[in-house]
Coordinates of all heavy atoms in Angstrom, one line a residue:
A248 N -21.1 19.8 -9.3 CA -20.5 19.8 -7.9 C -19.1 19.5 -7.9 O -18.3 20.1 -7.2 CB -21.3 18.9 -7.0
A249 N -18.7 18.5 -8.7 CA -17.3 18.0 -8.7 C -16.4 19.1 -9.3 O -15.3 19.3 -8.9 CB -17.2 16.7 -9.5
F250 N -16.9 19.8 -10.4 CA -16.2 20.8 -11.0 C -15.9 22.0 -10.0 O -14.7 22.5 -10.0 CB -16.9 21.4 -12.2 CG -16.2 22.5 -12.9 CD1 -15.1 22.3 -13.6 CD2 -16.8 23.8 -12.8 CE1 -14.4 23.4 -14.3 CE2 -16.1 24.8 -13.5 CZ -15.0 24.6 -14.2
F251 N -16.9 22.4 -9.3 CA -16.6 23.4 -8.3 C -15.7 22.9 -7.2 O -14.9 23.7 -6.6 CB -18.0 23.9 -7.7 CG -18.7 24.9 -8.6 CD1 -19.9 24.6 -9.1 CD2 -18.1 26.1 -9.0 CE1 -20.6 25.4 -10.0 CE2 -18.8 26.9 -9.9 CZ -20.0 26.6 -10.4
M252 N -15.8 21.7 -6.8 CA -14.9 21.1 -5.9 C -13.4 21.2 -6.4 O -12.5 21.6 -5.6 CB -15.2 19.6 -5.6 CG -16.3 19.4 -4.6 SD -16.4 17.6 -4.2 CE -17.7 17.6 -3.0
F253 N -13.3 20.9 -7.7 CA -12.0 20.9 -8.3 C -11.4 22.4 -8.3 O -10.2 22.6 -7.9 CB -12.0 20.4 -9.7 CG -10.7 20.5 -10.4 CD1 -9.7 19.6 -10.2 CD2 -10.5 21.5 -11.4 CE1 -8.5 19.7 -10.8 CE2 -9.3 21.6 -12.1 CZ -8.3 20.7 -11.8
L254 N -12.2 23.3 -8.6 CA -11.8 24.7 -8.6 C -11.4 25.2 -7.2 O -10.4 25.9 -7.0 CB -12.9 25.6 -9.2 CG -13.2 25.5 -10.7 CD1 -14.4 26.5 -11.0 CD2 -12.0 25.8 -11.5
Y255 N -12.3 24.8 -6.3 CA -12.0 25.2 -4.9 C -10.7 24.6 -4.4 O -9.9 25.2 -3.7 CB -13.2 24.7 -4.0 CG -12.9 24.9 -2.5 CD1 -12.6 26.1 -2.0 CD2 -12.9 23.8 -1.7 CE1 -12.4 26.3 -0.6 CE2 -12.7 23.9 -0.3 CZ -12.4 25.1 0.2 OH -12.1 25.3 1.5
L256 N -10.5 23.3 -4.7 CA -9.3 22.6 -4.3 C -8.0 23.3 -4.9 O -7.0 23.4 -4.2 CB -9.3 21.1 -4.8 CG -9.9 20.2 -3.7 CD1 -10.0 18.8 -4.4 CD2 -9.1 20.1 -2.5
E257 N -8.1 23.7 -6.2 CA -6.9 24.3 -6.8 C -6.6 25.6 -6.2 O -5.4 25.9 -5.9 CB -7.2 24.5 -8.3 CG -7.2 23.2 -9.1 CD -5.9 22.4 -8.9 OE1 -4.8 23.0 -8.9 OE2 -6.0 21.2 -8.7
V258 N -7.6 26.5 -5.9 CA -7.3 27.7 -5.2 C -6.8 27.5 -3.8 O -5.8 28.1 -3.3 CB -8.6 28.6 -5.1 CG1 -8.4 29.8 -4.3 CG2 -9.1 29.0 -6.5
L259 N -7.4 26.5 -3.1 CA -7.0 26.2 -1.7 C -5.5 25.7 -1.7 O -4.7 26.0 -0.9 CB -7.9 25.2 -1.1 CG -7.8 24.9 0.4 CD1 -8.2 26.2 1.2 CD2 -8.7 23.8 0.8
D260 N -5.2 24.8 -2.7 CA -3.9 24.2 -2.8 C -2.9 25.3 -3.1 O -1.8 25.2 -2.6 CB -3.9 23.1 -3.9 CG -2.6 22.3 -3.9 OD1 -2.3 21.7 -2.9 OD2 -1.9 22.4 -4.9
A261 N -3.2 26.2 -4.0 CA -2.3 27.3 -4.3 C -2.0 28.2 -3.1 O -0.9 28.5 -2.8 CB -2.9 28.2 -5.4
S262 N -3.0 28.4 -2.3 CA -2.8 29.2 -1.1 C -1.9 28.5 -0.1 O -1.1 29.2 0.6 CB -4.2 29.6 -0.4 OG -4.8 28.4 0.1
F263 N -2.1 27.2 0.0 CA -1.2 26.5 1.0 C 0.2 26.4 0.4 O 1.2 26.5 1.2 CB -1.8 25.1 1.2 CG -2.8 25.0 2.3 CD1 -4.1 24.8 2.0 CD2 -2.5 25.2 3.6 CE1 -5.1 24.7 3.0 CE2 -3.4 25.2 4.6 CZ -4.7 24.9 4.3
S264 N 0.4 26.1 -0.9 CA 1.7 26.0 -1.4 C 2.5 27.3 -1.5 O 3.7 27.3 -1.5 CB 1.6 25.4 -2.8 OG 0.9 26.3 -3.7
F265 N 1.7 28.4 -1.4 CA 2.4 29.7 -1.5 C 3.3 29.9 -0.3 O 4.4 30.5 -0.4 CB 1.3 30.8 -1.5 CG 1.7 32.1 -1.9 CD1 2.3 32.3 -3.1 CD2 1.6 33.2 -1.0 CE1 2.8 33.6 -3.5 CE2 2.0 34.5 -1.4 CZ 2.6 34.7 -2.6
D266 N 2.9 29.4 0.9 CA 3.8 29.6 2.1 C 5.1 28.8 1.9 O 6.1 29.3 2.4 CB 3.1 29.2 3.4 CG 2.6 27.8 3.4 OD1 2.8 27.1 2.4 OD2 2.0 27.4 4.4
G267 N 5.0 27.6 1.3 CA 6.2 26.8 1.1 C 7.2 27.5 0.2 O 8.4 27.5 0.4
V268 N 6.7 28.1 -0.9 CA 7.5 28.8 -1.9 C 8.1 30.0 -1.2 O 9.4 30.3 -1.4 CB 6.6 29.2 -3.1 CG1 7.5 30.1 -4.1 CG2 6.1 28.0 -3.8
I269 N 7.4 30.8 -0.5 CA 7.9 32.0 0.2 C 8.9 31.6 1.2 O 10.0 32.2 1.4 CB 6.8 32.8 0.8 CG1 5.9 33.4 -0.3 CG2 7.3 33.9 1.6 CD1 6.6 34.4 -1.3
G270 N 8.5 30.6 2.0 CA 9.4 30.1 3.1 C 10.8 29.6 2.6 O 11.8 29.7 3.3
A271 N 10.8 29.1 1.3 CA 12.0 28.6 0.7 C 13.1 29.7 0.6 O 14.3 29.4 0.7 CB 11.7 28.0 -0.6
F272 N 12.6 30.9 0.4 CA 13.6 32.0 0.3 C 14.4 32.3 1.6 O 15.4 32.9 1.6 CB 12.9 33.3 -0.1 CG 12.6 33.4 -1.6 CD1 11.4 33.1 -2.1 CD2 13.6 33.7 -2.5 CE1 11.1 33.1 -3.5 CE2 13.4 33.7 -3.9 CZ 12.1 33.5 -4.4
A273 N 13.8 31.8 2.7 CA 14.5 31.9 4.0 C 15.7 30.9 4.1 O 16.5 31.0 5.0 CB 13.6 31.7 5.1
I274 N 15.7 29.9 3.2 CA 16.7 28.9 3.2 C 17.7 29.0 2.1 O 18.9 28.9 2.3 CB 16.0 27.5 3.1 CG1 15.2 27.2 4.4 CG2 17.1 26.4 3.0 CD1 14.4 25.9 4.4
T275 N 17.3 29.3 0.9 CA 18.2 29.5 -0.2 C 17.6 30.4 -1.3 O 16.4 30.6 -1.4 CB 18.5 28.1 -0.9 OG1 19.4 28.3 -2.0 CG2 17.2 27.5 -1.5
N276 N 18.5 31.1 -2.0 CA 18.1 32.0 -3.1 C 18.4 31.3 -4.5 O 18.1 31.9 -5.5 CB 18.9 33.3 -3.1 CG 18.4 34.2 -1.9 OD1 17.3 34.1 -1.5 ND2 19.3 34.9 -1.4
D277 N 18.9 30.1 -4.4 CA 19.2 29.3 -5.6 C 17.9 28.7 -6.2 O 17.3 27.8 -5.6 CB 20.2 28.2 -5.3 CG 20.8 27.6 -6.6 OD1 20.0 27.3 -7.5 OD2 22.0 27.4 -6.7
I278 N 17.5 29.2 -7.4 CA 16.2 28.8 -7.9 C 16.2 27.4 -8.3 O 15.2 26.7 -8.3 CB 15.9 29.7 -9.2 CG1 14.4 29.6 -9.5 CG2 16.8 29.4 -10.3 CD1 14.0 30.6 -10.5
V279 N 17.3 26.8 -8.7 CA 17.4 25.4 -9.1 C 17.2 24.5 -7.9 O 16.3 23.6 -7.9 CB 18.7 25.0 -9.8 CG1 18.8 23.5 -10.1 CG2 18.9 25.8 -11.0
L280 N 17.9 24.8 -6.8 CA 17.7 24.0 -5.6 C 16.3 24.2 -5.0 O 15.7 23.2 -4.5 CB 18.7 24.4 -4.5 CG 20.2 24.2 -4.9 CD1 21.1 24.6 -3.7 CD2 20.4 22.8 -5.3
M281 N 15.7 25.4 -5.2 CA 14.4 25.6 -4.7 C 13.4 24.8 -5.5 O 12.5 24.2 -4.9 CB 14.1 27.1 -4.9 CG 12.8 27.6 -4.2 SD 12.5 29.3 -4.5 CE 13.9 30.1 -3.7
A282 N 13.6 24.8 -6.8 CA 12.7 24.0 -7.6 C 12.7 22.5 -7.3 O 11.7 21.8 -7.2 CB 13.0 24.2 -9.1
L283 N 13.9 22.0 -7.1 CA 14.1 20.6 -6.8 C 13.5 20.2 -5.4 O 12.7 19.2 -5.3 CB 15.6 20.2 -6.8 CG 16.3 20.2 -8.1 CD1 17.8 19.9 -7.9 CD2 15.7 19.0 -9.0
G284 N 13.8 21.0 -4.4 CA 13.3 20.7 -3.1 C 11.8 20.8 -3.0 O 11.1 19.9 -2.5
L285 N 11.2 21.9 -3.5 CA 9.8 22.1 -3.5 C 9.0 21.1 -4.3 O 7.9 20.7 -4.0 CB 9.4 23.6 -3.9 CG 9.9 24.7 -3.0 CD1 9.5 26.0 -3.5 CD2 9.5 24.5 -1.5
G286 N 9.6 20.7 -5.5 CA 9.0 19.7 -6.3 C 8.9 18.4 -5.6 O 7.9 17.7 -5.7
I287 N 10.0 18.0 -5.0 CA 9.9 16.7 -4.2 C 8.9 16.8 -3.1 O 8.1 15.9 -2.9 CB 11.3 16.4 -3.6 CG1 12.3 16.1 -4.7 CG2 11.2 15.3 -2.6 CD1 13.8 16.0 -4.2
G288 N 8.8 17.9 -2.4 CA 7.9 18.1 -1.3 C 6.4 18.0 -1.8 O 5.6 17.4 -1.2
A289 N 6.2 18.7 -3.0 CA 4.9 18.7 -3.6 C 4.4 17.3 -3.9 O 3.2 17.0 -3.8 CB 4.8 19.6 -4.8
M290 N 5.3 16.5 -4.4 CA 4.9 15.1 -4.8 C 4.5 14.3 -3.5 O 3.5 13.5 -3.5 CB 6.1 14.4 -5.4 CG 6.4 14.8 -6.8 SD 5.1 14.5 -8.0 CE 5.0 12.7 -7.9
Y291 N 5.2 14.5 -2.4 CA 4.8 13.8 -1.2 C 3.5 14.3 -0.6 O 2.7 13.5 0.0 CB 5.9 14.0 -0.1 CG 7.0 13.0 -0.3 CD1 8.2 13.4 -0.9 CD2 6.9 11.7 0.2 CE1 9.3 12.5 -1.1 CE2 7.9 10.8 0.0 CZ 9.1 11.2 -0.6 OH 10.1 10.3 -0.8
V292 N 3.2 15.6 -0.8 CA 1.9 16.1 -0.3 C 0.8 15.5 -1.1 O -0.2 15.1 -0.5 CB 1.9 17.7 -0.5 CG1 0.5 18.2 -0.2 CG2 2.9 18.3 0.4
R293 N 1.0 15.3 -2.4 CA -0.1 14.6 -3.2 C -0.2 13.2 -2.8 O -1.3 12.7 -2.6 CB 0.3 14.7 -4.7 CG -0.1 16.0 -5.4 CD -1.6 16.3 -5.3 NE -2.1 17.3 -6.2 CZ -2.0 18.6 -5.9 NH1 -1.5 19.0 -4.8 NH2 -2.5 19.5 -6.8
S294 N 0.9 12.5 -2.6 CA 0.9 11.1 -2.2 C 0.2 11.0 -0.8 O -0.6 10.0 -0.6 CB 2.3 10.5 -2.2 OG 2.8 10.5 -3.5
L295 N 0.5 11.9 0.0 CA 0.0 11.8 1.4 C -1.5 12.1 1.3 O -2.3 11.5 2.1 CB 0.6 12.9 2.3 CG 0.2 12.9 3.7 CD1 0.5 11.6 4.4 CD2 1.0 14.1 4.5
T296 N -2.0 13.0 0.4 CA -3.4 13.2 0.3 C -4.1 11.9 -0.1 O -5.2 11.5 0.5 CB -3.7 14.3 -0.8 OG1 -3.1 15.5 -0.4 CG2 -5.2 14.5 -1.0
V297 N -3.6 11.2 -1.1 CA -4.1 9.9 -1.5 C -4.1 8.9 -0.4 O -5.1 8.2 -0.2 CB -3.4 9.4 -2.7 CG1 -3.9 8.0 -3.1 CG2 -3.4 10.3 -3.9
Y298 N -3.0 8.8 0.3 CA -2.9 7.9 1.4 C -4.0 8.1 2.5 O -4.6 7.2 3.0 CB -1.5 8.0 2.1 CG -1.3 7.0 3.2 CD1 -0.9 5.7 2.9 CD2 -1.4 7.4 4.5 CE1 -0.7 4.8 3.9 CE2 -1.2 6.5 5.5 CZ -0.8 5.2 5.3 OH -0.6 4.3 6.3
L299 N -4.2 9.4 2.9 CA -5.1 9.8 3.9 C -6.6 9.4 3.4 O -7.4 9.0 4.2 CB -5.1 11.3 4.2 CG -3.8 11.7 4.9 CD1 -3.8 13.2 5.0 CD2 -3.7 11.1 6.3
V300 N -6.8 9.6 2.1 CA -8.2 9.3 1.6 C -8.4 7.8 1.7 O -9.4 7.3 2.1 CB -8.3 9.8 0.2 CG1 -9.6 9.2 -0.5 CG2 -8.4 11.3 0.2
R301 N -7.4 7.0 1.2 CA -7.5 5.5 1.2 C -7.6 4.9 2.6 O -8.3 3.9 2.8 CB -6.4 4.9 0.3 CG -6.5 5.3 -1.2 CD -5.3 4.8 -1.9 NE -5.5 5.2 -3.4 CZ -4.5 4.9 -4.3 NH1 -3.4 4.4 -3.9 NH2 -4.7 5.2 -5.5
Q302 N -6.8 5.4 3.5 CA -6.7 4.8 4.8 C -7.8 5.4 5.8 O -8.1 4.7 6.8 CB -5.4 5.1 5.4 CG -4.2 4.4 4.7 CD -4.3 2.9 4.9 OE1 -4.5 2.4 5.9 NE2 -4.1 2.3 3.8
G303 N -8.3 6.5 5.5 CA -9.4 7.1 6.3 C -8.8 7.5 7.7 O -9.6 7.3 8.7
T304 N -7.6 8.0 7.8 CA -7.0 8.3 9.1 C -6.7 9.8 9.2 O -5.7 10.1 9.8 CB -5.7 7.5 9.3 OG1 -4.8 7.7 8.1 CG2 -6.0 6.0 9.3
L305 N -7.6 10.6 8.8 CA -7.4 12.0 8.8 C -7.2 12.6 10.2 O -6.5 13.6 10.4 CB -8.5 12.8 8.1 CG -8.7 12.5 6.6 CD1 -9.9 13.2 6.0 CD2 -7.4 12.8 5.8
D306 N -7.9 12.0 11.2 CA -7.9 12.5 12.5 C -7.0 11.7 13.5 O -7.1 11.9 14.7 CB -9.4 12.5 13.1 CG -10.3 13.3 12.2 OD1 -9.8 14.4 11.8 OD2 -11.5 13.0 12.1
E307 N -6.2 10.9 13.0 CA -5.4 10.1 13.9 C -4.3 10.9 14.6 O -4.1 10.7 15.8 CB -4.7 9.0 13.1 CG -3.9 8.0 13.9 CD -3.3 6.8 13.2 OE1 -3.6 6.7 11.9 OE2 -2.6 6.0 13.7
Y308 N -3.6 11.8 13.9 CA -2.6 12.6 14.5 C -3.1 14.1 14.5 O -2.8 14.8 13.6 CB -1.3 12.5 13.8 CG -0.8 11.0 13.8 CD1 -0.8 10.3 12.6 CD2 -0.3 10.4 14.9 CE1 -0.4 9.0 12.5 CE2 0.1 9.1 14.9 CZ 0.0 8.4 13.7 OH 0.5 7.1 13.6
V309 N -3.8 14.4 15.6 CA -4.6 15.6 15.6 C -3.8 16.9 15.8 O -4.3 18.0 15.5 CB -5.7 15.5 16.7 CG1 -6.7 14.4 16.3 CG2 -5.1 15.3 18.0
Y310 N -2.6 16.8 16.3 CA -1.8 18.0 16.6 C -0.8 18.4 15.4 O -0.2 19.4 15.5 CB -1.0 17.8 17.8 CG -1.8 17.6 19.1 CD1 -1.4 16.6 20.0 CD2 -2.9 18.3 19.3 CE1 -2.2 16.3 21.2 CE2 -3.7 18.1 20.5 CZ -3.3 17.1 21.4 OH -4.1 16.9 22.5
L311 N -0.8 17.6 14.4 CA 0.2 17.9 13.3 C -0.2 19.2 12.6 O 0.7 19.9 12.2 CB 0.2 16.7 12.3 CG 1.1 15.5 12.7 CD1 0.8 14.4 11.7 CD2 2.5 15.9 12.7
E312 N -1.4 19.5 12.5 CA -1.8 20.7 11.8 C -1.4 21.9 12.7 O -0.9 22.9 12.2 CB -3.3 20.8 11.6 CG -3.8 22.0 10.9 CD -5.3 22.0 10.6 OE1 -6.0 21.1 11.1 OE2 -5.8 22.9 9.9
H313 N -1.4 21.7 14.0 CA -1.0 22.8 14.9 C 0.5 23.0 14.7 O 1.0 24.1 14.6 CB -1.3 22.4 16.4 CG -2.7 22.4 16.7 ND1 -3.5 21.3 16.2 CD2 -3.5 23.2 17.4 CE1 -4.8 21.5 16.7 NE2 -4.8 22.6 17.4
G314 N 1.3 21.9 14.7 CA 2.7 22.0 14.5 C 3.1 22.7 13.2 O 4.0 23.5 13.2
A315 N 2.4 22.4 12.2 CA 2.7 23.0 10.9 C 2.4 24.5 10.9 O 3.2 25.3 10.3 CB 1.8 22.3 9.8
H316 N 1.4 24.9 11.6 CA 1.1 26.4 11.6 C 2.1 27.1 12.5 O 2.4 28.3 12.3 CB -0.3 26.6 12.1 CG -1.3 26.4 11.0 ND1 -1.8 25.2 10.6 CD2 -1.9 27.3 10.1 CE1 -2.7 25.4 9.6 NE2 -2.7 26.7 9.2
Y317 N 2.5 26.4 13.6 CA 3.6 27.1 14.4 C 4.8 27.2 13.6 O 5.6 28.2 13.8 CB 3.8 26.3 15.7 CG 2.8 26.5 16.8 CD1 1.9 25.5 17.2 CD2 2.7 27.7 17.4 CE1 0.9 25.7 18.1 CE2 1.7 27.9 18.4 CZ 0.9 26.9 18.7 OH -0.1 27.2 19.7
A318 N 5.1 26.2 12.8 CA 6.3 26.3 11.9 C 6.2 27.5 10.9 O 7.1 28.2 10.6 CB 6.5 25.0 11.1
I319 N 4.9 27.7 10.4 CA 4.7 28.8 9.5 C 4.9 30.2 10.3 O 5.5 31.1 9.7 CB 3.2 28.8 9.0 CG1 3.1 27.6 8.0 CG2 2.8 30.1 8.3 CD1 1.7 27.4 7.6
G320 N 4.4 30.2 11.5 CA 4.7 31.4 12.3 C 6.1 31.7 12.6 O 6.6 32.9 12.5
A321 N 6.9 30.6 12.8 CA 8.3 30.8 13.0 C 9.0 31.3 11.8 O 9.9 32.2 11.8 CB 8.9 29.5 13.5
L322 N 8.6 30.7 10.6 CA 9.2 31.2 9.4 C 8.9 32.6 9.1 O 9.7 33.4 8.5 CB 8.7 30.3 8.2 CG 9.5 29.0 7.9 CD1 8.8 28.2 6.8 CD2 10.9 29.4 7.5
A323 N 7.7 33.1 9.4 CA 7.3 34.5 9.2 C 8.3 35.4 10.0 O 8.8 36.4 9.4 CB 5.9 34.7 9.6
V324 N 8.5 35.1 11.2 CA 9.4 35.9 12.0 C 10.8 35.9 11.5 O 11.5 36.9 11.4 CB 9.4 35.4 13.5 CG1 10.4 36.1 14.3 CG2 8.0 35.5 14.1
I325 N 11.3 34.7 11.1 CA 12.6 34.5 10.5 C 12.8 35.4 9.3 O 13.8 36.1 9.1 CB 12.9 33.0 10.3 CG1 13.1 32.3 11.6 CG2 14.2 32.9 9.4 CD1 13.3 30.8 11.4
L326 N 11.8 35.3 8.4 CA 11.9 36.1 7.2 C 12.0 37.6 7.5 O 12.8 38.3 6.8 CB 10.7 35.8 6.3 CG 10.7 34.6 5.4 CD1 9.4 34.4 4.7 CD2 11.8 34.8 4.3
L327 N 11.2 38.1 8.4 CA 11.3 39.5 8.7 C 12.6 39.9 9.4 O 13.2 41.0 9.1 CB 10.1 39.9 9.7 CG 8.7 39.7 9.1 CD1 7.7 40.0 10.1 CD2 8.5 40.6 7.8
V328 N 13.2 39.0 10.2 CA 14.4 39.3 10.8 C 15.6 39.3 9.8 O 16.5 40.1 9.9 CB 14.7 38.2 12.0 CG1 16.1 38.4 12.5 CG2 13.7 38.4 13.1
T329 N 15.5 38.4 8.8 CA 16.5 38.3 7.8 C 16.6 39.5 6.9 O 17.5 39.6 6.1 CB 16.4 37.0 6.9 OG1 15.1 37.1 6.3 CG2 16.5 35.8 7.7
I330 N 15.7 40.4 7.0 CA 15.8 41.7 6.3 C 17.1 42.4 6.7 O 17.8 43.0 5.9 CB 14.6 42.6 6.5 CG1 13.4 42.0 5.9 CG2 14.8 44.0 6.0 CD1 12.1 42.7 6.2
Q331 N 17.5 42.3 8.0 CA 18.7 42.9 8.4 C 19.8 41.9 8.8 O 21.0 42.1 8.6 CB 18.4 43.8 9.7 CG 19.7 44.5 10.2 CD 19.3 45.4 11.4 OE1 18.1 45.6 11.7 NE2 20.3 46.0 12.0
Y332 N 19.4 40.8 9.4 CA 20.4 39.8 9.9 C 20.4 38.5 9.1 O 19.3 38.1 8.7 CB 20.1 39.5 11.4 CG 20.2 40.7 12.3 CD1 19.0 41.3 12.7 CD2 21.4 41.2 12.7 CE1 19.0 42.4 13.6 CE2 21.4 42.3 13.5 CZ 20.2 42.9 14.0 OH 20.3 44.0 14.8
E333 N 21.5 37.9 8.9 CA 21.6 36.6 8.3 C 21.4 35.5 9.3 O 21.9 35.5 10.4 CB 22.9 36.4 7.6 CG 23.2 37.3 6.4 CD 24.5 37.0 5.7 OE1 25.0 35.9 5.9 OE2 24.9 37.8 4.9
I334 N 20.5 34.5 9.0 CA 20.2 33.4 9.9 C 20.6 32.1 9.2 O 20.3 31.9 8.0 CB 18.8 33.4 10.3 CG1 18.4 34.6 11.1 CG2 18.4 32.1 11.1 CD1 17.0 34.7 11.5
S335 N 21.3 31.2 9.9 CA 21.8 29.9 9.3 C 20.6 29.1 8.7 O 19.5 29.0 9.3 CB 22.5 29.1 10.3 OG 22.8 27.8 9.9
E336 N 20.8 28.6 7.5 CA 19.8 27.7 6.9 C 19.5 26.5 7.8 O 18.4 26.0 7.8 CB 20.4 27.2 5.5 CG 20.6 28.4 4.5 CD 21.3 27.9 3.3 OE1 21.7 26.7 3.3 OE2 21.4 28.7 2.3
L337 N 20.5 26.0 8.5 CA 20.3 24.9 9.4 C 19.3 25.2 10.5 O 18.4 24.4 10.8 CB 21.6 24.4 10.0 CG 21.5 23.2 11.0 CD1 21.0 22.0 10.2 CD2 22.9 22.9 11.6

Side-chain angles (χ1 to χ4, degrees):
F250 177 70
F251 283 119
M252 277 188 179
F253 176 75
L254 292 179
Y255 171 60
L256 271 175
E257 287 306 314
V258 174
L259 192 65
D260 188 62
S262 67
F263 275 110
S264 63
F265 195 58
D266 60 1
V268 174
I269 293 298
F272 280 101
I274 295 177
T275 181
N276 289 329
D277 192 314
I278 196 170
V279 175
L280 298 182
M281 192 182 298
L283 289 174
L285 295 180
I287 292 173
M290 288 297 299
Y291 277 100
V292 172
R293 278 300 195 279
S294 296
L295 184 59
T296 299
V297 176
Y298 182 82
L299 292 173
V300 170
R301 292 176 178 174
Q302 293 295 312
T304 55
L305 296 178
D306 299 322
E307 184 173 357
Y308 303 107
V309 295
Y310 298 136
L311 278 172
E312 185 176 5
H313 295 73
H316 279 84
Y317 281 113
I319 290 173
L322 270 177
V324 174
I325 288 173
L326 275 173
L327 295 177
V328 171
T329 56
I330 292 175
Q331 181 175 353
Y332 301 102
E333 292 187 14
I334 297 179
S335 171
E336 297 171 352
L337 180 62

